[in-house]
Amino acid sequence: MKFTVLTLFPEIPRAFFEASIMAKAVEKEIIAYDLVNVRDFALDKHRTCDDSPYGGGAGQLMLPEPLGKALDSVKAYKKEKRVIYATPGGRPLTQKLARELSQEQELVIICGRYEGVDQRIIDEYVDDEISVGDYVMSSGEVAALVIIDTVYRLIDGVISSESLDEESYTGSLLEYPQYTRPPVYKGMEVPQVLTGGNHEEIRKWRLRKRLEKTFLHRPDLVAEARKNGLLTAEAEKMIEEITGFAFKKHNPKRRK
């Protein structure tokens, strides 16, 4: 798979592509990338790529002409290549969307800056506007890297399939707690079930902890999983135990 990133600051994504698991994936030729500096397509000697928005208002907008020429240079035409604009005004990035994007041969990602990009660039080139969260950041490069990191790890050969099977959002649940050596840290012991060697008991413990953690942090995910019939009878029974315990705990005077 190839990632083509259009940016005013190529040094930011370059560091990511040259480090850790991504660097190994590039070396194995599982991943390819191209960093396109939008300033190389500016129309003046000062390499200007921004100007004030029509209608007034604070901040600057990225000019359409340099960015459009940069997109043309990599043949990033709508419907021919999947072109993404990372923006807080887009649809949310989810694990489901990441899996969809991981099936593409190439993703072209536009990194916004300042107040964003001219709307005509979006209308002409962009297939997907994607938000990495309900907040605003100054660096479209960081947002683009969140998308890239979420997607590339799902491509065959980057990470073992076993590592992906039980992580957060797999099966609509968050991941269970994890422990490693030493067995005792600051007086806190590793749960005995994990050191006992009974794989069936470990499986049950992990499922219960996934349910407990998801109920605590993202109860909406549990509700969605139940609605769509994604949970096993075993998980449903655990939910009854967990919710019953939680109800009694917070309602000590409840009549039996």
Side-chain angles (χ1 to χ4, degrees), residues 105-120:
Q105 293 297 312
E106 180 178 357
L107 295 180
V108 179
I109 304 179
I110 300 170
C111 301
R113 278 276 168 171
Y114 319 118
E115 293 299 309
V117 306
D118 190 293
Q119 180 63 37
R120 291 167 291 186

Side-chain angles (χ1 to χ4, degrees), residues 100-191:
E100 176 189 323
L101 295 175
S102 70
Q103 303 304 308
E104 299 285 341
Q105 293 297 312
E106 180 178 357
L107 295 180
V108 179
I109 304 179
I110 300 170
C111 301
R113 278 276 168 171
Y114 319 118
E115 293 299 309
V117 306
D118 190 293
Q119 180 63 37
R120 291 167 291 186
I121 288 291
I122 298 172
D123 295 341
E124 179 69 17
Y125 293 96
V126 174
D127 294 297
D128 294 289
E129 295 179 72
I130 297 178
S131 168
V132 298
D134 295 340
Y135 48 84
V136 179
M137 57 175 63
S138 61
S139 172
E141 287 76 19
V142 174
L145 291 178
V146 171
I147 297 171
I148 293 168
D149 190 79
T150 307
V151 171
Y152 96 99
R153 61 193 304 280
L154 300 175
I155 297 169
D156 289 343
V158 174
I159 296 177
S160 68
S161 58
E162 182 180 351
S163 296
L164 300 174
D165 286 342
E166 293 186 341
E167 64 183 7
S168 292
Y169 303 106
T170 302
S172 297
L173 299 175
L174 302 181
E175 191 173 15
Y176 48 78
Q178 300 260 28
Y179 299 85
T180 186
R181 293 179 290 181
V184 180
Y185 171 69
K186 292 189 175 182
M188 296 178 286
E189 297 184 5
V190 173

Side-chain angles (χ1 to χ4, degrees), residues 60-112:
Q60 301 284 94
L61 276 179
M62 290 181 68
L63 291 166
E65 291 168 310
L67 184 51
K69 288 180 178 295
L71 287 160
D72 289 341
S73 75
V74 295
K75 296 180 172 58
Y77 306 122
K78 188 180 288 191
K79 306 304 179 185
E80 293 186 20
K81 293 184 179 180
R82 191 83 173 255
V83 182
I84 295 169
Y85 173 42
T87 169
R91 60 171 168 154
L93 176 65
T94 63
Q95 195 71 8
K96 180 179 179 181
L97 177 55
R99 290 190 182 280
E100 176 189 323
L101 295 175
S102 70
Q103 303 304 308
E104 299 285 341
Q105 293 297 312
E106 180 178 357
L107 295 180
V108 179
I109 304 179
I110 300 170
C111 301

